[in-house]
Each structure stands twice: as C-alpha cells, then as structure tokens.
Amino acid sequence: MKSPVTVALVGNPNAGSTSLFNALTGAQSAVANYQRVTTSLNVREITHGGVPLRIVDVPGIFSTSSQSPEEKVGCDYIHGEEPDIIVNVLDAGHLDRSLFLTTQLIETGLPRITVLNMMDEVRRAGIRIDTVLLASALGSPVVETCALKKEGIDALLDAVAAMASTTPAAATLRLHYDSHLEAAIERVQQHLSKLHPQELSPVRSRWLAIKMLEGDDEVLRHESNHVELVEEIKGEQTALAHEHDEDTAGLLASARFAFSNGLLREVRQQESDPTAGFKLTRILDDFFLNRTLGLPLLLGILWVMFEATFTLGAIPTDWIKAGVQVSTELVDKTLPEGMFHDLVVNGVMAGVGGTIVFLPNIVILFFFMAILSGTGYLARASFLMDRVMHHFGLHGTTLIPMVAGFGCNVPAVMATRVITNKRARLIAMLIAPFMNCSARLPVFILFAGAFFADIAGTVVFAMYMLSLVAAMVSAVLLNRIIPGSGGDAFVMELPPYRLPTLHSVLHHMWDSAQGFVAKVTGVILVGSIVIWFLQEFPRDITYSQDFETVIAEQTALPDSPEKETALKTLKSAQAQEKLEKSYLGRSAIAVTPLFQPLGFSWRDSAAIMTGFVAKEVVVATYAVIYAQEKGSDQLTETLRGAMPPATAIAFMIFTLLYAPCLSTIAIIGKEAQSWRWAGFSVAYSLTFAWLLALAASRIGGTFL
C-alpha cells in the first residue's frame, strides 16, 4: 500500500467513530450521545509499528447511497477517494441495524476491519458475540473496542498496521441475491466492462452495477453520457419490479437484511433477558418523555443549569476580579506615565481583564452541556420539542443544529447538513444564528448582574428561552418569504442513557475554557487595543472650553467639598468631550440616531459596532470605554448608572438577535453557496433585533 496508508473510519451515526478517532489519534474532536455531531471529515496522521497511517473520520452514514448533504460527504469520500483500508465501526448493541451498512461496504471490495464498539454495554446486557465466526462470515478481522474507555485501541492499531504491511488479497466475499437480480447485475456489469475496458476490476464493475440498479443518483450521474447503459438500467429495473412486485432498491435491501439476520442468528447469543439491558432506559424515558411532565421538566432542568451557571460562577469570578484588580494596580504603579501606560492599563488590562472574569461561567455552562449531551438527555430534549416546533413550520431535524448553536453558531450552521430538503436547510441556516451561543453569555451575565442581581440566573435563562422563541417565530416568517415546500420527516433514534466518563466531561470543560481563553488573548486583546486607539486619537482636540485653565484655577482654591465636587465635574466633562470627539466617539455618534429610539447612547452604539467582529468584544468595549472615562474598574457599578433597566433589557435583546459574528456570516455564505443569503441574514437579523428591542424598551419603560 502507498504511504501513508489511508484508513477511513466508517459507521452509522452515533456508532462511536469520532470517539474511536480521538482514541486512535489523540485528537479532541467533539462527541456527544446523539447523532450527527460530526458533519465533516476529520483527518490526522499517526505512526504505529513503523507504519505511517492517515486516519480519516467519516461523518456517520446509514447507507452508501445516502442523500443528505452531511451524509453525502461520507458517501462521496468512499466513492471517490477509495481509502486503502476501511475500519467499519459498528455499535455492537445494535448490530441488526449496523450490519446493513457493512453489507454495502463488503461490495466495495476494499480491505476492511470490523470494529465492535461499545462492547462494555453488550457484556452488561448479557450478550455474547462469536467474533471468530463473525470475522469468517464478513471476510475481515474483527476487533472489540470501547472507544470512550480506550479499550481495544492497541489491538485495532495492530490489526491496521498488519493489514497495511501486507499485499491486499483480491476480495472474494460477495452477497448473493435473487437469481433474477444476479442476472441483471451480470448484464449491467458486462455493459460497464465494455464501456470501461481495462479500467474496472470485476469487483468494482459489480459494485457499480449494483449501485446503478439500486438507483444511486451520484453513480448514475457519472454514467449519464452513456445513453444505452442508462436505458438498459431502466429496463432492468422495470423488469425486476414486474417480476417481484417490488422495486430494485427494495429487493437489494431485503437481501442485505436477510444476510444480516441470518448472520446474527449464528454469531450472537443472549444469555439473559434481552430487554433487561434497556429496563433503566425505559423507566427513565417514561419519566422524562412523559407527555404531561416532559416539557416542564425540560424547562426546569434548563433553569437549574443557568441559575447554577450564574450563582456557582460568582465565587471564582470574584477571585479572578480581585486578581485582575491587583494586577492592574501593580502595572499602574510600575509603568511610567505616558501613552504606553494608558494603552496597557486602560486598553489591554481593562478589555482583557473585563472579559476573562467570565471564564468560570463559561466552564460551568459547558459542564452542564457535557452532562446533558453525554447522558443522552439532549437527544430527548429534541424529541420533546419536535411537537412544538411543527407548529412553527420547522422540521424535527432542525433541532440538531439549534442545539449545537448553544455552543457556537458556526458548527450550528454546518450541522444543517443533516437536512436534505434545500429550502428547509436554508431556513435552518438563517435561524441558527439566533441561538444563544456562549459568546453572548458574558454580555448577559454582565447586564443581569448589574441590573437584576437578585434574579440574574433567571434573566440569563429567559434570554436562552427568548432565543428559541425568536428562532421559531423567524421560521414562520421565513416560511412565508422563501418560496418552495416540502421537507424531511423527523426520524431520530434515541440513544440509551449513558453515564458520561469523567474524562469526556473534563475534556468538554477544558476545550471550552481553551476556546474562551484563546478568544480573550486573540480577538479580545486585539479588539481592546484597537478600541483604545480609536478612543485616544486624534489627540489635538478643540474643546468647547479651556478645561486645563479652569481646572488649574479650581485646584488653586482652598480645599473644600465644593472644590472636590467642582473638580470631579470638570474632569468628567473633559473626559466626556474627549471621548465624543475621538474617532470611536465620532463613528459611534454617526450611527447613534439609528439606536436612539431604543434608548441607546453612543457608547452602546460603539459596543454594538465592535460586536460585529465577535460578541465577546461588546464587554471589552464597555470595559475600555468606562476605564478611560470614569477611571473605574467597577464596570458593573458604572454600567448600572449609565442606563435604566428597561434599556438594559432592550440592549440584551438586541445583542442576542442582531447580526451574526463575521465567522458565522462567512459560513452561511459558504454553506448556502450564495453571499446574498449571508447578506440577507445580516439585514433580517438587524431588523428583527431592532423591532424587538424597541418593543422591550417601550413596554419595559412602562413597568421598570
């Protein structure tokens, strides 16, 4: 085989391919206990036993003829790239379903290794699998693994290295179909061999013949210029349907399931009650999926999650605040006065320090998310919400990208690949940015703590619920605007309840912490410096009065409370005028008329403008502006005095809904294959956010 040897991990969704990829390569790709977490190829190179290996994690597929954009990635890879070795990852507890894909992989003729993953669950359920007999029947080595616990990984790597070090033998195993079907395959195979002499091996031509008779759109498209072949295929399909009263795809599927069922009767033995292993899942589902209690329970669990995120996070947040304050005072005293001093203290320390304090809240939120996704409850939350979503014209599969959006909107847009209908997918892409991503969390924690300290956790929970409602209402509107119809039926397999491993939970928290710190030390740091320069320049400002002279005259007066008050007022007015005439102030004041109906000042406008880059920069902007103007490190107290509570609610709503960050806009343009839809997303979300914030400002102003 060529070097490095390409090894493709191929299996059904939620079979554990990505967990196995992580265990094999040391990668930290996202995993969860529900389907469609992996939507694109993951590639890493390793060396085992002196053999260079290129490991490719292929998104889960149920069939090699799958049609959804996300499954098409996997199918196209198998069809087009032809990896050197296929590692077929099977959920050992669901072999009845998993082997259907195996039967199709056998027909590719590629060297295979069969992996029985999640064997710990199979053993607990009292199931025994004769792996020797299974290996003989499938014509491939069989390795038992538990990827999450990293069991069987060395054995799998040894098997891959051994296969890579030998010359692959010609594939001899083949599934045998009905005699009429076999005759049709033979005729199409001969036709293909004539059209592509010396190009196709017997195994390859048989596989193509089967795929064409099955009606695989991609394979048929490749051969569409051979009109006689296409006509022959149609004739064979018609004849087979007439003889068997069933279409060719159904005949092939029946034969594959018959092979799987017969094989399992030989290799699988149940040593105890086959339903015993699912008893706990049934009991828990009766409770969590109860038609009456299910939704209230879901809301209660989410409320506890956000309340705990705020209240538990307050303790370490105070520690970090104290550390930032001590560091700022130390730097303030150490550095000599001048522009560099101001840049570090009022720019970098204020912006970065004002944002990093929210790290504990981010980590705690992702701890709960890891528990919910790892146990399988998140999949059940999707199931519970499906009934509600249908009232808003959304398909159940839309829930998967919406759930992903709670972490970050970029993978949420990519996760819409699970939706096969183009119009439904476009609508899902356009509403995905409304989901309250973790980047917005620092803004809500800052405002909730400043204005609604007694119910801060509930306020954050309300913002998450509002993001769901906004997405659903937008779906109704977009369904009326975007022409077309149709969509997918919601079919989602509920995984068994699993206890998340400590490693996976800690990794989830560590990964979120790393991501947040990377943003703080990257885009937030750069943003803070840029904002400081924009508010510091130009330096030759013409003030409305000679502040320096007036301050000097006031300073010369005898000490008194009136003198101190007058000096404070003069310095504040000077700082105010300096900010308003800076580049930041001028640009923000220019757009402020757009936001004045919402009650926003030019400082709020500046924060909104910088939030286009990344929503975390909103907090950094406030921190830099108020550090310069007030000379205060108590951002929460300063913010509380800068606007009424009703305006604070309007600002939170606007931040929740207005334009996606630049990364999300870029991915919408790429996935929709049109920058017009990316532009539409920005315009629509700005309009929607403005109208809702206006309503909140007016209604809230009446009561608060």
Side-chain angles (χ1 to χ4, degrees):
M1 292 184 181
K2 63 190 177 188
S3 181
V5 176
T6 301
V7 181
L9 308 182
V10 182
N12 289 164
N14 209 31
S17 297
T18 303
S19 296
L20 193 61
F21 176 78
N22 290 341
L24 289 170
T25 65
Q28 303 288 347
S29 301
V31 295
N33 189 15
Y34 56 85
Q35 299 177 3
R36 317 295 189 193
V37 177
T38 304
T39 57
S40 58
L41 298 174
N42 294 320
V43 183
R44 275 215 171 188
E45 293 193 5
I46 60 171
T47 300
H48 183 77
V51 180
L53 302 172
R54 183 171 179 267
I55 311 292
V56 182
D57 179 25
V58 178
I61 54 175
F62 288 111
S63 159
T64 56
S65 299
S66 299
Q67 296 300 312
S68 77
E70 158 251 8
E71 288 185 314
K72 202 168 178 302
V73 173
C75 293
D76 287 350
Y77 181 79
I78 296 170
H79 293 179
E81 299 296 330
E82 291 195 22
D84 300 309
I85 297 173
I86 287 180
V87 172
N88 181 198
V89 185
L90 308 180
D91 179 350
H94 296 85
L95 290 178
D96 305 75
R97 181 200 62 202
S98 303
L99 283 172
F100 182 74
L101 175 62
T102 304
T103 59
Q104 297 173 75
L105 295 177
I106 289 173
E107 288 165 344
T108 65
L110 296 170
R112 290 171 295 107
I113 295 173
T114 303
V115 169
L116 298 179
N117 195 28
M118 307 183 206
M119 279 300 294
D120 53 337
E121 294 181 2
V122 173
R123 296 187 190 106
R124 279 201 301 274
I127 298 172
R128 285 184 64 251
I129 298 174
D130 187 337
T131 54
V132 176
L133 188 56
L134 182 64
S136 173
L138 295 180
S140 72
V142 173
V143 181
E144 298 181 5
T145 66
C146 176
L148 282 177
K149 298 178 181 175
K150 298 187 177 180
E151 294 174 1
I153 303 305
D154 289 339
L156 175 58
L157 283 170
D158 290 343
V160 170
M163 185 172 283
S165 303
T166 57
T167 304
T172 56
L173 179 66
R174 54 186 269 183
L175 269 66
H176 294 281
Y177 298 104
D178 167 83
S179 59
H180 297 129
L181 199 48
E182 282 290 347
I185 294 170
E186 177 68 21
R187 286 190 289 271
V188 176
Q189 191 177 356
Q190 289 177 1
H191 198 147
L192 281 165
S193 299
K194 289 178 183 175
L195 290 173
H196 305 283
Q198 311 298 321
E199 295 180 25
L200 298 175
S201 66
V203 173
R204 181 74 177 174
S205 61
R206 176 181 170 83
W207 177 74
L208 284 174
I210 292 171
K211 299 306 291 180
M212 296 183 79
L213 285 169
E214 194 175 25
D216 187 297
D217 293 335
E218 194 63 31
V219 177
L220 285 170
R221 195 176 300 116
H222 275 293
E223 299 292 336
S224 58
N225 57 330
H226 300 124
V227 179
E228 288 186 6
L229 174 63
V230 174
E231 290 301 319
E232 182 182 346
I233 296 292
K234 290 179 181 176
E236 295 286 3
Q237 288 174 331
T238 302
L240 286 166
H242 180 73
E243 290 168 353
H244 294 270
D245 200 22
E246 187 177 7
D247 64 20
T248 315
L251 287 172
L252 288 163
S254 297
R256 289 165 179 158
F257 277 119
F259 172 83
S260 303
N261 293 335
L263 177 60
L264 287 176
R265 278 198 294 271
E266 295 294 325
V267 304
R268 188 172 61 184
Q269 291 183 0
Q270 185 75 45
E271 296 179 338
S272 58
D273 179 7
T275 63
F278 305 102
K279 191 174 180 181
L280 179 61
T281 291
R282 283 202 305 273
I283 293 172
L284 292 175
D285 275 348
D286 287 344
F287 180 65
F288 286 117
L289 299 182
N290 185 282
R291 291 180 66 86
T292 305
L293 297 176
L295 276 176
L297 273 172
L298 171 61
L299 293 176
I301 289 170
L302 292 178
W303 180 83
V304 169
M305 179 173 77
F306 293 116
E307 183 68 22
T309 297
F310 191 86
T311 53
L312 295 179
I315 300 170
T317 294
D318 287 341
W319 298 342
I320 299 177
K321 274 183 181 176
V324 169
Q325 187 171 352
V326 170
S327 303
T328 304
E329 289 173 357
L330 182 64
V331 174
D332 189 24
K333 293 175 182 174
T334 305
L335 287 179
E337 290 294 331
M339 187 181 295
F340 183 70
H341 168 278
D342 291 345
L343 169 63
V344 174
V345 175
N346 296 328
V348 175
M349 300 291 286
V352 173
T355 310
I356 195 68
V357 295
F358 298 105
L359 175 62
N361 306 100
I362 299 286
V363 172
I364 292 172
L365 176 66
F366 275 85
F367 164 78
F368 282 103
M369 293 292 286
I371 296 292
L372 293 181
S373 64
T375 54
Y377 183 75
L378 216 50
R380 283 156 177 87
S382 300
F383 179 79
L384 283 168
M385 289 296 293
D386 177 57
R387 203 173 20 170
V388 178
M389 292 181 70
H390 274 288
H391 293 298
F392 294 87
L394 285 170
H395 300 280
T397 43
T398 309
L399 277 163
I400 296 168
M402 289 176 74
V403 169
F406 282 135
C408 177
N409 290 162
V410 172
V413 174
M414 293 177 67
T416 60
R417 292 175 183 176
V418 301
I419 304 168
T420 55
N421 182 273
K422 289 184 179 178
R423 177 174 173 272
R425 188 184 175 212
L426 178 60
I427 292 174
M429 273 190 270
L430 294 173
I431 66 169
F434 287 141
M435 301 313 295
N436 197 359
C437 67
S438 60
R440 294 161 172 133
L441 186 60
V443 182
F444 300 142
I445 291 176
L446 173 65
F447 274 72
F451 294 92
F452 311 99
D454 294 336
I455 54 169
T458 304
V459 170
V460 175
F461 166 74
M463 297 311 296
Y464 274 81
M465 292 302 101
L466 181 61
S467 72
L468 276 171
V469 173
M472 291 180 180
V473 171
S474 293
V476 174
L477 297 174
L478 293 171
N479 265 311
R480 294 175 184 274
I481 295 171
I482 299 174
S485 61
D488 311 318
F490 181 50
V491 180
M492 183 174 189
E493 180 182 320
L494 294 180
Y497 287 98
R498 295 187 172 111
L499 194 62
T501 63
L502 180 62
H503 175 268
S504 67
V505 173
L506 291 177
H507 163 68
H508 212 69
M509 296 166 68
W510 173 249
D511 197 45
S512 65
Q514 272 190 316
F516 186 70
V517 171
K519 274 194 171 183
V520 169
T521 55
V523 66
I524 303 296
L525 174 61
V526 173
S528 299
I529 294 172
V530 171
I531 293 164
W532 181 84
F533 271 102
L534 287 175
Q535 70 166 20
E536 192 65 22
F537 289 90
R539 309 205 45 120
D540 54 341
I541 293 175
T542 302
Y543 289 101
S544 58
Q545 60 176 308
D546 188 353
F547 280 107
E548 296 300 328
T549 303
V550 177
I551 289 173
E553 292 173 354
Q554 195 69 31
T555 305
L557 295 175
D559 291 339
S560 66
E562 291 76 14
K563 170 191 167 183
E564 293 301 321
T565 303
L567 279 173
K568 189 175 180 181
T569 303
L570 281 168
K571 290 178 180 177
S572 176
Q574 185 183 23
Q576 169 83 9
E577 195 166 336
K578 179 186 175 186
L579 271 173
E580 289 179 355
K581 292 182 176 178
S582 66
Y583 292 129
L584 181 67
R586 292 177 192 177
S587 55
I589 288 170
V591 300
T592 296
L594 290 173
F595 300 112
Q596 273 181 340
L598 312 181
F600 298 168
S601 68
W602 72 264
R603 298 173 190 79
D604 308 317
S605 304
I608 289 169
M609 287 165 59
T610 56
F612 275 98
V613 180
K615 293 298 181 286
E616 296 98 329
V617 185
V618 171
V619 173
T621 303
Y622 275 120
V624 174
I625 288 176
Y626 285 121
Q628 177 73 8
E629 184 179 359
K630 302 287 186 183
S632 169
D633 53 7
Q634 300 300 320
L635 179 58
T636 301
E637 293 177 13
T638 310
L639 197 59
R640 192 183 302 131
M643 64 176 73
T647 304
I649 293 175
F651 187 84
M652 283 194 284
I653 291 174
F654 193 85
T655 304
L656 170 69
L657 303 174
Y658 87 99
C661 66
L662 292 181
S663 302
T664 306
I665 294 171
I667 199 68
I668 290 175
K670 180 183 175 185
E671 293 291 319
Q673 298 181 336
S674 169
W675 289 106
R676 286 186 305 169
W677 285 115
F680 175 84
S681 173
V682 174
Y684 174 78
S685 60
L686 275 171
T687 306
F688 191 70
W690 193 92
L691 291 173
L692 213 59
L694 178 66
S697 175
R698 299 296 166 87
I699 297 171
T702 307
F703 298 100
L704 298 175

